[in-house]
Amino acid sequence: MTTGVIPGGHNPEPRPTGERMPHQRHQPGQAGPHVETRTGSSVITARAAASFEPVGRSVATARSFVRDTLQGWGFADVVDDAVVLTSELVTNAVVHAGTHADVLCLRTDDGVRIEVSDRYPEREVPLQGSPVNMGSPDREGGRGLQLCAALATRWGVEYTSTHKNVWFQLDLPERPVGTRAAGPSLPADLLPLADGRVRVAVVQIDRKGSISAWNEDAEEIFGHTSGEVTGKPLTDLAAWPHTPGTGTGIAEALQLSRWEGSYGIRGADGRVTPVYASHLRVRDTGGEPSTVCLLVRDHERAVLQTPLRVPASDAGGASDGQSSDPFEVFIGSPAPDDLDGLLQRTVERARDMLDGDSAFLLLATDDETELEVRASTGLPSARQRFARVPVEAGPGRYGSARMPAVHDDLAAVPGAVPLLAGTGMRSVVTVPLKVEGRLTGSLGVAAEAPDRYSNEEALRLQFAADRIALAVESARLGELERLRRGSLSFLVEASDLLAGTLDRDQTLALMAQMTVPTLATWCAVYTIADQASDPYLSYVLHEDEELIDGIKSLLSKVPPPDPVPTPGARIWTAPGEHAHQAALRSSMRSLGLTGGPTRQVSSGIGPTLATASAVGGETVVLPLVARNRVIGMLTLGKPTDEHFRQEILELAEDLSRRAALALDNARLYSERTAISQALQRSLLPPGTPHIEGMEVEVIYRAAGEGNEVGGDFYDVFPISDNAYGFAIGDVCGTGPNAAAVTGLARHALRLLAREGLSGPAVLERLNSAILDEGARSRFLTLLYGEMRPQEDGSAEMKVVCAGHPLPLRLRQDGTVEAAAEPQPLLGVIEDLELYEQTVTLDPGDVLLCVTDGVTERREGTRMLGDDGLADVLTTCTGLTAGAVAARIMRAVERFASDAPSDDMAILAMRVPGLQKD
């Protein structure tokens, strides 16, 4: 590495400890090159860094960054020179070199060192003895080194293969001893007003909050003598303001290490005197704490009030035509567009500003009752992200976060900041983020060493927090609004999907697929059949399908969660604990620590550890409650060290309510469907009997989804030896009401036929039974007959056609004719006079019986009709009964594109003969 160093007329000074020791270029007029000894004596006490993009506005942002940093460090004496030098060097980097510029500010005991690095490492190395040409002051670029030579105590240029680094050192001027801050000389009429002699009341408060000391100025201001107030609580005298959004009262303020602000004191005359106070918490040599209160009249507050650090305006801002934005000074420009990016940039800048080892930021939840970790640096963010702490009133509690607080050593007060437990951090400073008096968040910076921070750092951090509070709150509210809109869209879509199915298994799958990965990394659904049943693991899903089997196996070994009907999510630790133990046992076996074999288990370590990692985070259980009964549990899980956001849990709770109702509806539908199907199956014939010398085929289609039986019915049953009854009918209407009459008709036919009654007598008695149903009765068309196979290979058919479509006879020569005459239908009039007709089927003949759902098949204005059915039947010569029925059904289905709206039944009976090739 080549280094160019120009002393600037001063002797070399030590470089901060731990930095590289560059070599000095040989300058003309010097005896020869020498090594600059800048080591050992200067110690870096703080650092701040920022990177700027190669755009013009970065120059102004860099000036603001350096100005703010140095003012925060109390280096106002060298701010102007540092800003000018930084402006020139950053301009060279981002404008002329066209690269990113990295600015590093280092604070030492006696000054500040600023380094500006760019990524344009080309340089000219002057030859020894040749004059150094610094360039013309009137050139557009290149004045940075000239200004360094003119203004800096020391400066130099360092080169690497990828970067060029220009640094300069500004030493602080000598300051009068004891000077901390000073203001300009002012005309007398602008000075703060004081009434004659300025009196400062000094009041000391003991551990219990009682007054233990009261000086003469306090007696003069408030009228109470020392004897009158000693031993009384200060709260008896103080008129404490109750500011909305703050939970700190005077008792709490007296417990803080330092407090400054306004309140009132009731005097002896009963009047309240407004005062400005500064409280300091101290302890005596015996360790007894007390609080020293300095009080002046409110209009004389300038005596005690700490001057606010107001950033000076950027001298170069006017030249750029832009004003300095305090928010951009801290965050940098351009600011991140998303909330997470903004918060992460904030914690990183806060850590750098106070030279901390870690930083964290908490934001208020939607209901503002808790603070949630949203960003951190230097901490195990995966474990801490979205962790929550309550917002509680009272001092000494991190949860309240309503006042700036400095903890010198967390080891002395364990649990003061639960977020930092086990992280190794010892000292921490926290400040609130407030907007219009409301607590909206908390910002903290921590260090591994104790006693790193004082009230001065707390004020600096509070100043920064005040700058960003409004922007952070605006981004937080914007995120909440987007989450609400997204949640509503999610729930609407989920409701539509769940309402679109009544299948239990599909509902379970939808429930899991909607939660993974939108709400959780994995989920499991437990179902409960009834109150006496234990929860059953019904469905498991993980965003990585390879882990599903491992999680399912793990959960099958863990007792299911208790079916508690209490709404809301509750933590379930069993899966994570069981997974951790399983992974530990597998690891020990693989190492041979349990005395067992290692080869057989080594292959299982990977899946076991993967499963443990998958379920090692937070796991919550939400009850699935429908109709005041717990029907299951929805379990959601995160991988190792991750937590759920409250907004996600609330969304999951809304989803669980909808899913529970959909799952219960699917259960009820399945139960009712099963009952309906069982009842419908009971209405169907048990089967078609085998008839020697006859082929019989039946095709039945019930209209309507889920219906197995409708208004159409059929039956073929034995009556006596070599005699069989057959029937095909159609009850008015479809669905369950028609199916009820169907059952009555079918069972009555069997019973009456087996009593030896003739066909007309059977139908007349059935007619009476239907009419006896009263209002539930429905008219019925019925074709009933008896068949008797003959020894010569023919079959004798005796049929009665009561209002039903006529049966068709197909002869071997292909002719089709009606095989019966129409007669009155059943269920309309009481006195029926029916007769039967005899038909003899020769070998090869077919008798086709159908319901009107076949003949009345429609496509627009066209209808299949009796003639269309006869035309199809003429093409079935020589086919078996099964082939005839199938061809008829295909013709009916092809006739129209719409699904059938009426029940259909086809009964084909054929006397075997010669089959067509």
Side-chain angles (χ1 to χ4, degrees), residues 68-284:
D68 181 59
T69 300
L70 298 191
Q71 285 179 340
W73 288 346
F75 287 179
D77 298 325
V78 297
V79 164
D80 292 337
D81 289 348
V83 168
V84 171
L85 295 178
T86 302
S87 179
E88 289 297 328
L89 296 178
V90 173
T91 299
N92 291 339
V94 303
V95 176
H96 302 301
T99 74
H100 284 73
D102 299 322
V103 179
L104 174 65
C105 300
L106 301 174
R107 183 181 70 182
T108 63
D109 295 335
D110 53 358
V112 64
R113 172 188 170 99
I114 297 179
E115 300 180 1
V116 179
S117 300
D118 63 44
R119 300 164 192 181
Y120 191 76
E122 296 184 8
R123 75 276 190 190
E124 295 180 0
V125 180
L127 299 176
Q128 184 171 347
S130 63
V132 178
N133 181 13
M134 299 295 293
S136 170
D138 297 327
R139 291 176 56 191
E140 180 180 356
R143 295 193 296 264
L145 301 184
Q146 292 181 341
L147 290 175
C148 287
L151 300 178
T153 307
R154 291 175 301 282
W155 68 280
V157 185
E158 301 175 351
Y159 295 98
T160 68
S161 59
T162 58
H163 289 74
K164 179 182 70 177
N165 183 36
V166 181
W167 64 269
F168 60 87
Q169 175 86 22
L170 295 173
D171 290 343
L172 293 176
E174 293 293 333
R175 294 177 176 176
V177 176
T179 301
R180 180 179 180 272
S185 299
L186 295 176
D189 57 348
L190 297 180
L191 296 176
L193 180 64
D195 296 335
R197 172 190 168 187
V198 176
R199 297 183 180 275
V200 179
V202 180
V203 182
Q204 192 157 3
I205 311 299
D206 62 18
R207 179 197 292 268
K208 298 180 181 179
S210 300
I211 299 173
S212 60
W214 184 270
N215 72 341
E216 295 180 358
D217 283 352
E219 295 181 1
E220 182 66 25
I221 296 174
F222 306 119
H224 299 289
T225 64
S226 176
E228 292 173 344
V229 297
T230 300
K232 291 184 177 181
L234 181 61
T235 54
D236 290 351
L237 303 180
W240 192 259
H242 295 281
T243 304
T246 63
T248 305
I250 186 170
E252 288 82 3
L254 292 174
Q255 300 297 318
L256 298 175
S257 60
R258 184 179 292 275
W259 185 90
E260 186 175 324
S262 301
Y263 53 93
I265 296 292
R266 296 183 182 85
D269 57 0
R271 301 177 60 183
V272 175
T273 302
V275 298
Y276 192 84
S278 176
H279 299 176
L280 178 64
R281 188 77 165 163
V282 297
R283 61 186 174 93
D284 58 22

Side-chain angles (χ1 to χ4, degrees), residues 10 55 77 140 206 263 300 308 351 384 412 480 494 584 670 812 898:
H10 297 272
V55 292
D77 298 325
E140 180 180 356
D206 62 18
Y263 53 93
E300 297 172 342
L308 296 176
R351 177 197 60 189
Q384 304 292 346
L480 288 176
L584 181 60
S670 299
Q812 277 283 66
D898 296 337

Side-chain angles (χ1 to χ4, degrees), residues 55-71:
V55 292
R57 65 175 181 272
S58 294
V59 179
T61 306
R63 288 196 296 264
S64 299
F65 165 71
V66 171
R67 181 182 299 279
D68 181 59
T69 300
L70 298 191
Q71 285 179 340

